[in-house]
Amino acid sequence: MSSSVLIGYFDNEDKILDATRAAHQAGYPVHDVYTPYAVHGMDEAMGLRPSRLTYVCFAAGLLGGSLALALQLYTSVVSWPLNVGGKPFNSLPAFIPVTFELTVLFAGLITVAAFLARSRLFPGSRRLTLPRVTDDRFALVLGARQGEQAHHAVEDMLRRHGAVELSWKEMPS
Amino acid sequence: MSNSHLSPLRVPLVSEERSLGQLTEEICAPMERRPTRAWWVAFAIAFALLAIGVGMVAYEVSTGIGVWGLNKTVGWAFDITNFVFWVGIGHAGTLISAILFLFRQKWRTSINRAAEAMTLFAVMCAAVFPVIHMGRPWLFFWVFPYPNERGSLWVNFRSPLLWDVFAISTYFTISLVFWYVGLIPDLATVRDRAKGLRQKLFRVLSLGWTGSHRTWSRYETVYLLLAGLATPLVLSVHTIVSMDFATSIIPGWHTTIFPPYFVAGAVFSGFAMVLTLMIITRKVLGYEHLITVRHLENMTKVIIVTGGIVSLAYGTEVFIAWYSGNEYERFTFLNRAFGPYAWAYWTMVTCNVVSPHLFWFKKVRTSPAAIFVLSLVINVGMWFERFVIIVTSLHRDFLPSSWSMYTPTVIEVGTFIGTFGLFFTLFLLFTRVLPIISIGEVKSVLGFARGHSPAHEPSTHGEPRRHDTPEPIAAEVPSPVLVGLATRKDVAV
């Protein structure tokens, strides 16, 4: 059994925002929207939940900070205690700069790695792109309900919202 | 493009009417055409300077750092001056890309890509100096804490110089990642226009970006997080650099004002360098409508502010030197202003305290030629600031018997010139191989305009001017591409 997706092309940010909002509200499954730049308000129009990468970032920062402190305490207190100007071996204020830097480093690198992994972006990825969506076209990809009438209804809706081009594609479910 | 951005008060960020397609064309054009004669001339000069620097460094490494003009009293001079100078230059890039992003300053979109690239190149130039100052640069990895064969000997985490190692390497890494993440969508744009080998290359670099909004949504989150991380990072880096001095007990260095003073100075000199580069770039590449006079003007306003902070810091230092009652501190400041290096001190004051005030005049602030000259003046002044801090504090210390003078040698000057060669060579290559303006971000601010501007009537939105009438997509795209979409694994119906 196969189902169809309808790809509607738009030439304007506002039109595709309206169309996406309408399709989402009408209950058509919105696969994805392809745009040349980040369209603000689209998350809400598509009904996307906020990304959870912020939690990843926080955890990674915590990890980096802990590792940095552990490394400094181990090397300066346990492994090679060195008397510098009579200061205590576990002189915490002196360890803050390196701890901060490693917190940022871990948080940044791990968040980006998580983003790339979650979005399946990697060198050599050969995913095909829709025409002109990295240039000046906005594409809305909708799953549709069965039946010819439903097809007409969704086509009409996209046209009403200013789609410049529509195409149906069959895909295995 | 959204009509909600239209307002009778809003000044357009892009000063000429442009469609999305035209923008893509314009920004990709310098990469896709042959380099101009001007580019070749500039590249030849930059490369020659780089060659001089390489020669000097090779001579220095093979002979020893005795070839520098350093002596027992002035043990740090040209190298650390240049190091701080270059690190400072880098700061404006991160400031534009991260701090202005957090402050929702949309005007950053035209300049952030080039400014971030400038950051990376400046940090590379900065890194040259401490590495060659080590004397045995091939052992530079000794600065990292790794289990080694020297018993349980570890690096000293209480040393500001080691903090520097972590600060600069983290700063470079995060700046690089931030820059690359920002580039991914544009790399996809270039990939979709390119053919042959270039397409293959950009296919690898763009990591399979499709423009999917689900990805865009996460991308925006990540970009925001990176900006949030990079903002305190910028402040921390120059704070730590200043601690190289402030944690010592040398009069003129041992001051608590150093961290904010250095950060402000870094932003001050960095913005001057961004202006220098942007004024040349917009002219050479014809981007006057993208990097508008308003962008330049905004940057000069940042320069007025940071210049003011720097001036205040100079004043505070002098005041505290007097008010502290510490005779060594007082002597150091009198010696700076009236001693043998007074010429350097007054050059610094003229360039950094006096010249930014010319930007209060709208005529100066909106004239690219005047801004260009002043940005050069500020760069010179900020270089002298570091020179004054370092050399005048060291050359006359507590013991008059150890007083001495310092003059840079040809090797030192040549190395410094070489880093300019490195900087400009990298920047010129960058203008040839990557989009120097963030295509995706500028597209998103195209609609920021006055409501009555005919350029932004909804009827003209998104219509590519290169085609008189929008062509139907199906006509120009073979259907297999669309079928390809339907068989993609990540589209699950």
Side-chain angles (χ1 to χ4, degrees):
Chain A
M1 174 150 167
S2 71
S3 59
S4 309
V5 289
L6 173 62
I7 307 169
Y9 292 92
F10 297 81
D11 59 4
N12 179 304
E13 167 186 336
D14 295 323
K15 290 179 193 162
I16 195 166
L17 255 180
D18 293 343
T20 311
R21 196 172 289 126
H24 181 64
Q25 279 166 2
Y28 292 105
V30 178
H31 262 318
D32 214 336
V33 174
Y34 295 85
T35 53
Y37 56 87
V39 174
H40 292 171
M42 188 60 88
D43 286 6
E44 169 260 315
M46 287 170 73
L48 291 184
R49 277 176 306 177
S51 165
R52 286 166 300 182
L53 285 166
T54 44
Y55 300 108
V56 174
C57 185
F58 180 73
L62 217 53
L63 175 74
S66 318
L67 283 180
L69 263 184
L71 171 76
Q72 292 176 91
L73 287 171
Y74 169 72
T75 56
S76 312
V77 180
V78 181
S79 180
W80 188 252
L82 195 67
N83 189 334
V84 179
K87 291 178 198 115
F89 296 129
N90 59 345
S91 49
L92 202 60
F95 297 157
I96 297 301
V98 172
T99 308
F100 172 77
E101 298 300 331
L102 288 183
T103 305
V104 169
L105 185 67
F106 273 66
L109 293 185
I110 293 178
T111 309
V112 170
F115 159 64
L116 297 180
R118 183 67 186 82
S119 308
R120 271 171 286 169
L121 294 171
F122 56 89
S125 164
R126 294 191 65 86
R127 277 191 281 174
L128 292 165
T129 46
L130 291 175
R132 282 167 67 173
V133 289
T134 56
D135 184 1
D136 61 351
R137 277 287 185 270
F138 303 77
L140 169 60
V141 183
L142 288 180
R145 300 178 185 128
Q146 295 299 311
E148 206 166 299
Q149 270 196 325
H151 280 195
H152 284 306
V154 63
E155 278 180 5
D156 278 351
M157 184 194 68
L158 292 189
R159 278 210 192 87
R160 261 203 321 280
H161 283 96
V164 292
E165 180 84 14
L166 293 175
S167 69
W168 280 98
K169 286 297 148 201
E170 287 294 313
M171 60 189 304
S173 57
Chain B
M1 295 282 290
S2 170
N3 290 334
S4 59
H5 300 314
L6 298 180
S7 145
L9 295 176
R10 209 189 281 271
V11 181
L13 289 172
V14 175
S15 62
E16 283 175 30
E17 180 187 353
R18 284 294 183 274
S19 70
L20 299 176
Q22 280 176 312
L23 263 185
T24 314
E25 295 268 330
E26 270 180 352
I27 300 174
C28 292
M31 312 161 53
E32 290 167 355
R33 64 178 180 227
R34 286 182 175 280
T36 57
R37 186 184 293 268
W39 186 89
W40 277 114
V41 171
F43 186 75
I45 295 171
F47 198 75
L49 296 181
L50 173 61
I52 292 174
V54 170
M56 295 298 169
V57 171
Y59 178 71
E60 184 268 332
V61 170
S62 57
T63 317
I65 54 171
V67 297
W68 287 351
L70 303 175
N71 53 53
K72 271 187 184 166
T73 311
V74 187
W76 267 5
F78 233 62
D79 46 353
I80 198 84
T81 301
N82 298 337
F83 165 73
V84 182
F85 172 76
W86 276 119
V87 175
I89 295 285
H91 279 48
T94 323
L95 191 105
I96 288 172
S97 55
I99 297 182
L100 296 187
F101 179 76
L102 293 183
F103 286 158
R104 301 281 185 264
Q105 294 297 306
K106 295 286 183 188
W107 60 271
R108 68 183 264 291
T109 49
S110 296
I111 48 173
N112 68 334
R113 170 77 40 77
E116 283 169 48
M118 185 196 82
T119 294
L120 295 174
F121 305 150
V123 173
M124 286 181 199
C125 293
V128 167
F129 292 99
V131 170
I132 55 174
H133 196 167
M134 287 173 179
R136 287 186 289 170
W138 53 93
L139 296 179
F140 77 96
F141 57 89
W142 284 12
V143 299
F144 295 111
Y146 65 100
N148 53 57
E149 73 280 17
R150 297 183 291 278
S152 54
L153 183 64
W154 292 96
V155 290
N156 177 15
F157 282 107
R158 296 185 196 87
S159 162
L161 296 181
L162 188 74
W163 303 346
D164 252 0
V165 171
F166 279 85
I168 303 290
S169 51
T170 300
Y171 184 49
F172 183 76
T173 313
I174 294 291
S175 299
L176 184 68
V177 168
F178 196 31
W179 184 63
Y180 185 67
V181 168
L183 260 172
I184 296 173
D186 288 2
L187 293 173
T189 303
V190 178
R191 171 200 65 197
D192 292 346
R193 296 165 53 85
K195 292 194 173 63
L197 186 66
R198 272 167 56 88
Q199 192 185 33
K200 286 202 178 85
L201 187 68
F202 280 95
R203 190 181 294 284
V204 173
L205 291 176
S206 61
L207 311 179
W209 180 272
T210 56
S212 144
H213 186 77
R214 290 175 196 279
T215 308
W216 269 121
S217 174
R218 291 182 201 117
Y219 168 93
E220 292 262 289
T221 308
V222 168
Y223 202 79
L224 183 68
L225 286 171
L226 282 178
L229 289 169
T231 300
L233 189 63
V234 184
L235 306 185
S236 85
V237 170
H238 232 60
T239 297
I240 291 174
V241 168
S242 81
M243 285 176 184
D244 292 350
F245 305 101
T247 55
S248 74
I249 53 159
I250 307 283
W253 286 5
H254 187 54
T255 57
T256 47
I257 201 179
F258 261 29
Y261 163 32
F262 268 52
V263 171
V267 175
F268 183 54
S269 65
F271 266 81
M273 189 59 111
V274 176
L275 279 170
T276 312
L277 285 178
M278 288 298 113
I279 289 171
I280 300 176
T281 309
R282 72 197 279 273
K283 185 84 192 156
V284 172
L285 299 180
Y287 285 161
E288 278 101 341
H289 57 288
L290 294 175
I291 304 168
T292 60
V293 169
R294 177 165 170 235
H295 288 95
L296 304 181
E297 198 184 343
N298 282 350
M299 286 192 271
T300 62
K301 287 175 184 169
V302 177
I303 285 187
I304 295 176
V305 173
T306 48
I309 301 175
V310 168
S311 309
L312 178 67
Y314 293 166
T316 310
E317 276 197 308
V318 173
F319 172 75
I320 293 297
W322 165 75
Y323 188 67
S324 67
N326 180 324
E327 59 185 300
Y328 300 104
E329 190 78 12
R330 191 176 298 184
F331 171 77
T332 298
F333 280 86
L334 285 175
N335 182 50
R336 274 188 194 174
F338 306 108
Y341 289 108
W343 59 274
Y345 182 79
W346 294 110
T347 307
M348 164 190 109
V349 170
T350 315
C351 295
N352 295 349
V353 179
V354 181
S355 72
H357 292 291
L358 291 171
F359 285 138
W360 289 107
F361 300 101
K362 179 114 185 163
K363 269 228 166 74
V364 178
R365 218 161 57 215
T366 49
S367 148
I371 299 173
F372 183 72
V373 172
L374 279 173
S375 72
L376 290 179
V377 167
I378 290 167
N379 273 317
V380 170
M382 283 307 292
W383 186 85
F384 270 102
E385 178 195 297
R386 279 74 181 236
F387 181 82
V388 165
I389 290 172
I390 292 158
V391 174
T392 64
S393 300
L394 283 177
H395 89 121
R396 288 186 172 173
D397 64 3
F398 299 100
L399 284 174
S401 61
S402 59
W403 286 7
S404 79
M405 291 295 287
Y406 162 79
T407 325
T409 61
V410 174
I411 308 294
E412 282 171 305
V413 177
T415 311
F416 184 44
I417 290 173
T419 52
F420 275 99
L422 176 63
F423 183 77
F424 286 110
T425 304
L426 291 172
F427 194 82
L428 286 164
L429 288 176
F430 164 66
T431 61
R432 290 287 313 146
V433 298
L434 292 171
I436 70 155
I437 290 179
S438 179
I439 306 174
E441 290 197 49
V442 171
K443 279 178 187 168
S444 72
V445 301
L446 267 188
F448 279 60
R450 294 185 199 279
H452 55 74
S453 162
H456 298 283
E457 289 301 321
S459 61
T460 60
H461 275 184
E463 300 298 334
R465 204 199 253 169
R466 52 196 166 162
H467 314 296
D468 287 326
T469 48
E471 293 171 22
I473 285 179
E476 62 187 58
V477 176
S479 59
V481 178
L482 290 176
V483 175
L485 171 94
T487 55
R488 274 168 38 179
K489 277 185 187 156
D490 59 335
V491 177
V493 179

